[in-house]
Amino acid sequence: MDSPSIIHDSIVTSSKVQLIADMSSQSTVPAPAPLPLHPATSKILIIGAGTFGLSTAYHLQEDGFKDITVLDKAAELPALDAASTDINKVVRSTYADSFYTQLARDTIARWKDPMWEGCYHESGVLCIGSAYADKSYENDVAEGARVSLLPDAERIRSTFPASLRTSGHEHPPQSRLLGDFADYSGYINLDGGWAEATRSIKILLDIVIARGAKVESRKEVLTLLNSSADKSGYTCGAICVDGSTYPADRVILATGSWTASSFPGLALDQRCLASGQSLASLQLTQEESERYREIPVVLDFRTGLYVLPPNRDNVIKTGLHAAGHTHMVAPSTSEFSSAKATGVPRKISTPRTILSHPEGSDGLRVPRSALRAIRDHLKVVYPDLAEKPWAGTRMCW
Ligand SMILES: Cc1cc2nc3c(=O)[nH]c(=O)nc-3n(C[C@H](O)[C@H](O)[C@H](O)COP(=O)(O)OP(=O)(O)OC[C@H]3O[C@@H](n4cnc5c(N)ncnc54)[C@H](O)[C@@H]3O)c2cc1C
């Protein structure tokens, strides 16, 4: 949940490009300005077909760019292990950083566009817990969001459906559908909720292809091509593991948490660290699901727990927003060999996923300690659900 998903603006992706531009400016010889782009003729190469790659393609098309190629290493798109591929994601403007709040509010307005075919569900986002929530509250208020302060447990409970709050005859006497939230305060933002992540990525994929972009799967980019003609050192294309070469006037890296490990020669691991976050899901019966259908997204800033409402398959996704886990691997590409030659041998945190470690679904496993923590924190919100067995887990990078 580090950034708003489905960004309808290339700002965040271009910050990745900026990162690379910053690095080139560290060389002693100042690089000349890159050649200007022309929408009708410039060749754009985007590496990575997740949220950021496809969103960038979409917006470049909006700006009139005609020649866009998107490459992704996965055999099938959306890539099964991409961060963007998930049953659902929280859509919220509750960020302590006011830039994120503004960006997310713009995004939320756009989620309501019919192009998304109802992928967005405005369930409201309930934030309980710490000072972070208070700062988020200030940002939400400043941006005019529909927010209400919830100073005590009773007010927090009032944001859930009545069927969860009552202990009526329809439930067993010992059942505890909803926590008592003792000592908790928080706020609810009605301008937010969740989105069907994989379905929306598929929609975006279809749109950019229909508008003429070439999107190629099974294209793992091994290295970036540097311009040798003018000695500027600007990136002018990419070479894939299968030997295919893609020349371009502009190359955009949208490789998510693979960025540092895929391109070790760029030394981005000095600036960013890929980490895996633990997710777990619960399978509800249809009857249970109806009971929880209208719940808000819950973010507990005290513990890092988040819980989404059941999706159309009656699955509830929950996870821990935490520092996460690294997977340190020594890259073996030729780019890295040259980095080693310069005297910086190192390991880089590399996503360990269901595609890189498919045996016995190894790449989906999360640490037992994380599962215990999720279960303990879930008891605070939905005590009964916390007793159910996990239907699945995933380490999401
Ligand atoms: C556990 C977890 C939960 C999250 N929850 C939320 C949430 O609730 N709300 C929210 O707004 N955000 C959330 N986020 C953040 C959000 O999911 C990400 O910011 C977003 O999906 C990143 O998109 P991306 O396109 O940068 O990366 P990805 O979706 O990971 O896409 C990167 C693509 O690049 C491809 N690729 C990688 N290397 C290469 C290569 N060398 N050659 C070719 N292709 C390559 C991959 O196959 C992949 O398809 C969450 C993130 C995580 C990890």
Side-chain angles (χ1 to χ4, degrees):
M1 298 196 301
D2 293 331
S3 62
S5 73
I6 314 296
I7 306 297
H8 296 264
D9 191 305
S10 54
I11 294 172
V12 181
T13 296
S14 58
S15 74
K16 287 176 183 161
V17 179
Q18 185 61 45
L19 196 61
I20 294 164
D22 285 350
M23 295 187 65
S24 67
S25 70
Q26 287 174 1
S27 71
T28 46
V29 183
L35 293 174
L37 295 176
H38 303 287
T41 54
S42 293
K43 238 180 201 331
I44 306 291
L45 180 64
I46 299 172
I47 306 171
T51 302
F52 285 104
L54 293 176
S55 187
T56 302
Y58 175 88
H59 285 279
L60 287 173
Q61 288 173 329
E62 293 276 281
D63 290 345
F65 282 84
K66 304 275 180 245
D67 189 348
I68 299 175
T69 300
V70 184
L71 305 178
D72 200 289
K73 65 185 175 61
E76 282 174 33
L77 297 177
L80 202 57
D81 59 350
S84 311
T85 306
D86 206 342
I87 59 171
N88 46 22
K89 293 282 189 200
V90 181
V91 177
R92 59 170 170 136
S93 61
T94 54
Y95 288 99
D97 182 325
S98 59
F99 172 75
Y100 270 20
T101 301
Q102 288 161 18
L103 189 61
R105 283 193 50 83
D106 178 39
T107 303
I108 288 167
R110 290 163 187 251
W111 267 117
K112 295 174 184 168
D113 190 295
M115 78 176 260
W116 294 112
E117 300 174 17
C119 281
Y120 171 60
H121 303 265
E122 199 153 82
S123 61
V125 177
L126 171 64
C127 303
I128 52 177
S130 71
Y132 178 93
D134 296 338
K135 180 66 187 152
S136 304
Y137 176 76
E138 283 171 27
N139 289 338
D140 270 336
V141 170
E143 293 301 321
R146 291 178 297 150
V147 294
S148 302
L149 274 175
L150 307 166
D152 54 42
E154 215 34 57
R155 292 289 301 279
I156 291 175
R157 284 171 58 87
S158 73
T159 63
F160 291 87
S163 59
L164 294 185
R165 282 181 270 138
T166 56
S167 50
H169 304 302
E170 68 274 26
H171 307 305
Q174 299 308 319
S175 77
R176 290 190 59 219
L177 301 173
L178 192 60
D180 53 21
F181 299 102
D183 302 328
Y184 265 94
S185 61
Y187 78 101
I188 188 157
N189 183 348
L190 298 177
D191 294 336
W194 58 281
E196 297 169 55
T198 303
R199 190 159 81 89
S200 53
I201 290 292
K202 283 182 181 159
I203 290 171
L204 197 53
L205 187 60
D206 288 346
I207 291 174
V208 300
I209 291 172
R211 287 169 158 195
K214 291 186 273 305
V215 180
E216 298 189 36
S217 56
R218 295 181 196 273
K219 288 290 177 186
E220 179 170 3
V221 173
L222 179 65
T223 191
L224 302 175
L225 284 170
N226 279 337
S227 162
S228 53
D230 58 4
K231 304 264 189 300
S232 67
Y234 277 107
T235 304
C236 58
I239 304 177
C240 294
V241 169
D242 63 8
S244 51
T245 300
Y246 290 80
D249 297 308
R250 195 71 95 241
V251 178
I252 297 168
L253 285 186
T255 40
S257 55
W258 285 270
T259 306
S261 55
S262 280
F263 305 101
L266 296 176
L268 291 174
D269 58 309
Q270 313 290 316
R271 296 169 173 229
C272 52
L273 180 73
S275 71
Q277 305 281 325
S278 300
L279 298 177
S281 58
L282 296 167
Q283 179 67 60
L284 271 53
T285 63
Q286 184 67 30
E287 190 191 350
E288 285 171 325
S289 196
E290 291 315 322
R291 214 176 285 151
Y292 290 89
R293 184 74 62 202
E294 303 299 325
I295 58 177
V297 168
V298 178
L299 309 177
D300 185 343
F301 287 115
R302 248 187 228 180
T303 62
L305 178 87
Y306 54 97
V307 193
L308 286 93
N311 73 349
R312 56 180 76 205
D313 297 321
N314 305 324
V315 174
I316 281 193
K317 186 182 99 174
T318 176
L320 267 189
H321 191 43
H325 302 270
T326 54
H327 177 230
M328 305 308 286
V329 175
S332 56
T333 68
S334 54
E335 266 198 86
F336 184 62
S337 307
S338 62
K340 264 205 285 201
T342 62
V344 253
R346 61 190 190 276
K347 290 184 173 179
I348 298 179
S349 182
T350 304
R352 187 181 189 284
T353 72
I354 185 63
L355 295 185
S356 66
H357 290 74
E359 311 80 21
S361 298
D362 193 28
L364 293 177
R365 285 172 205 258
V366 303
R368 281 205 186 90
S369 56
L371 282 181
R372 270 198 303 274
I374 294 175
R375 199 177 283 288
D376 283 349
H377 302 326
L378 190 58
K379 278 183 194 151
V380 172
V381 186
Y382 302 117
D384 279 4
L385 289 186
E387 302 300 324
K388 287 178 81 69
W390 299 120
T393 62
R394 176 182 173 190
M395 185 65 85
C396 179
W397 294 80

